[in-house]
Amino acid sequence: MEIIKNKSLKNFNTFGIDANAEFFIPIKKKNDLFDVLEKEKNQPIKILGGGSNLLITQDISECLIKNEIKGIQVILENENEVLVRVGGGEIWHELVLWAVANNYGGIENLALIPGTVGAAPIQNIGAYGVELKNVCEGVEFIHLEEKKEYAFSNDECHFFYRDSIFKHELKGKICITHVFFRLSKAPHSLNLTYGVIKGHLEKKGIKNPTIKNICDTVIEIRNSKLPDPKELGNSGSFFKNPELSKEEFLSIKKKFPDIVSYALPSKKYKIPAAWLIEQCGFKGVRYGNTGCYKYQPLVLVNYGNATGKEIQLFSEKIKKAVRKKFGIFIQAEVNIW
Ligand code: EPU
């Protein structure tokens, strides 16, 4: 185990924020983490995954653990499915490509989501009608204060829309070392609920899509709408899509009849934050070194030298404008350090 002093985090967060980590500690196995906990007794600790859902607004004085625990292992298999145990430090998109190459289904709609496998359960990543909770069998983690290992079932993770127990009771207290996935063998049941995927497949004349076709389509759609963090720093959707009660929704619809909405099984209404932000005039708008992406205003971008504080300030400006115009509170989806 190596402790690196004063490391720039510029290449360790997809916003590309140049903050300093006083103590940067990559870990490759569970025991490395137990060693750190033993050696750095009572020192505050932070865990870094792919840094893709993170806005860093200050230098990090805590011990910063970089989860680099690797490994993709099929641990159970039958005619219909496989159970896979994956190291938290694996890159999410590489896991998707591995699954598709092996014809294991269930995560092809989640292609190209940036970040690591260990971070994926924290916000229950989701896209194009699929969420991690649909395929996650459970999670192994180490409790940093108790210095104990736990294994949680899917139910115990309390997954909700971009949410889990790891954002509440266990926030900042754990390091996810491994995640278990239950993936299907062919014939797969595909998720084509998002019209945009169906549309793309039809355009290509694909009538009976494979999971590879879906994965390729999702990659195409994401590449056309979302900026590549290597070219333009960003952290995907900065805000969550707000959910309104029927009463709140109807009263806002009276004033804004064109409001876009999706009725949820919970009887609430989900409003695309992208629409609210666009209506407030922020789409494609630049504000100093930051701004709203031209094709998807829910994505805030770093034009080069933005500080985390600058992006945070801009995000507050957007929140305020949405609150003023619609009376709706939008909440950050990214973690702010
Ligand atoms: N919209 C606009 N203007 C725009 C773009 C979108 O008004 O410029 C409105 C449209 O009404 C559109 C709606 O927003 O129909 C939804 O847009 P989109 O399909 O792009 O999805 P989203 O709700 O903005 C969510 C996730 C994304 C995920 C996509 C696809 C959240 C916070 N974001 O975005 O996830 O890729 O659906 O499933 O739930 C992420 O979490 O980082 C992320 C990128």
Side-chain angles (χ1 to χ4, degrees):
M1 187 221 7
E2 186 193 6
I3 301 182
I4 304 165
K5 290 216 172 129
N6 294 319
K7 183 148 184 93
S8 161
L9 294 177
K10 196 169 170 61
N11 295 326
F12 293 91
N13 69 102
T14 56
F15 256 127
I17 303 294
D18 192 7
N20 178 64
E22 223 170 298
F23 307 99
F24 183 88
I25 313 174
I27 58 155
K28 303 224 179 297
K29 50 187 191 302
K30 281 184 182 176
N31 274 343
D32 289 348
L33 181 54
F34 282 120
D35 287 350
V36 179
L37 297 177
E38 193 49 44
K39 218 172 145 196
E40 305 293 328
K41 266 194 194 103
N42 307 324
Q43 289 300 317
I45 282 178
K46 272 188 150 60
I47 309 286
L48 180 65
S52 60
N53 199 43
L54 178 64
L55 177 64
I56 308 177
T57 61
Q58 55 195 319
D59 289 339
I60 309 295
S61 56
E62 295 91 337
C63 293
L64 188 62
I65 307 279
K66 170 85 175 88
N67 185 347
E68 291 181 356
I69 299 173
K70 300 276 184 184
I72 303 179
Q73 213 186 344
V74 174
I75 55 171
L76 276 177
E77 180 163 11
N78 65 27
E79 247 175 67
N80 306 317
E81 52 190 21
V82 285
L83 184 64
V84 190
R85 180 175 182 258
V86 187
E90 287 286 348
I91 304 296
W92 174 264
H93 181 59
E94 284 171 15
L95 172 66
V96 174
L97 295 181
W98 173 89
V100 170
N102 285 281
N103 205 12
Y104 298 145
I107 52 176
E108 57 281 356
N109 295 46
L110 304 180
L112 220 58
I113 294 185
T116 55
V117 168
I122 297 179
Q123 60 146 340
N124 178 28
I125 58 169
Y128 306 105
V130 174
E131 286 178 308
L132 174 116
K133 72 168 187 191
N134 306 135
V135 286
C136 176
E137 190 68 9
V139 164
E140 282 177 5
F141 63 87
I142 293 172
H143 195 292
L144 304 172
E145 277 167 32
E146 296 176 8
K147 303 186 178 60
K148 259 173 55 183
E149 271 188 62
Y150 284 85
F152 268 16
S153 66
N154 179 306
D155 275 354
E156 287 171 303
C157 294
H158 298 175
F159 289 128
F160 291 100
Y161 167 62
R162 295 294 192 279
D163 205 12
S164 75
I165 193 166
F166 309 112
K167 281 187 135 183
H168 298 277
E169 291 99 300
L170 294 176
K171 187 173 177 167
K173 295 189 172 148
I174 54 117
C175 175
I176 294 180
T177 56
H178 294 88
V179 185
F180 294 86
F181 298 93
R182 190 172 288 279
L183 303 176
S184 64
K185 286 190 182 174
H188 304 288
S189 61
L190 307 175
N191 189 319
L192 297 170
T193 45
Y194 259 59
V196 61
I197 295 190
K198 259 198 223 151
H200 268 246
L201 291 168
E202 273 164 21
K203 239 196 251 158
K204 287 196 260 180
I206 298 172
K207 290 208 177 74
N208 296 306
T210 61
I211 56 171
K212 169 104 175 46
N213 294 143
I214 294 193
C215 178
D216 290 346
T217 303
V218 169
I219 291 174
E220 268 172 41
I221 298 171
R222 289 188 75 100
N223 277 338
S224 69
K225 289 208 323 199
L226 300 170
D228 179 350
K230 285 191 203 96
E231 284 157 25
L232 198 58
N234 76 89
S235 159
S237 301
F238 192 92
F239 300 102
K240 288 199 232 185
N241 289 328
E243 291 178 6
L244 306 180
S245 69
K246 192 171 176 182
E247 295 70 43
E248 285 171 308
F249 171 67
L250 291 176
S251 100
I252 292 173
K253 196 171 164 65
K254 253 192 213 154
K255 217 169 142 200
F256 301 97
D258 296 339
I259 191 166
V260 180
S261 66
Y262 304 97
L264 298 173
S266 63
K267 307 241 171 0
K268 288 189 165 182
Y269 288 79
K270 187 175 272 193
I271 314 295
W275 185 83
L276 298 169
I277 296 170
E278 183 171 350
Q279 296 301 307
C280 290
F282 286 105
K283 186 169 179 171
V285 162
R286 185 169 173 158
Y287 183 76
N289 290 310
T290 179
C292 280
Y293 190 54
K294 57 184 170 187
Y295 303 129
Q296 173 45 294
L298 193 49
V299 176
L300 305 193
V301 296
N302 175 3
Y303 284 107
N305 297 310
T307 60
K309 283 238 157 54
E310 206 174 348
I311 296 174
Q312 189 182 22
L313 205 73
F314 182 52
S315 77
E316 293 298 332
K317 211 174 147 70
I318 295 171
K319 267 170 132 172
K320 236 191 212 161
V322 170
R323 198 160 61 226
K324 192 160 173 223
K325 187 169 172 105
F326 296 98
I328 296 177
F329 290 81
I330 52 172
Q331 278 178 346
E333 194 226 288
V334 301
N335 295 299
I336 299 181
W337 279 2

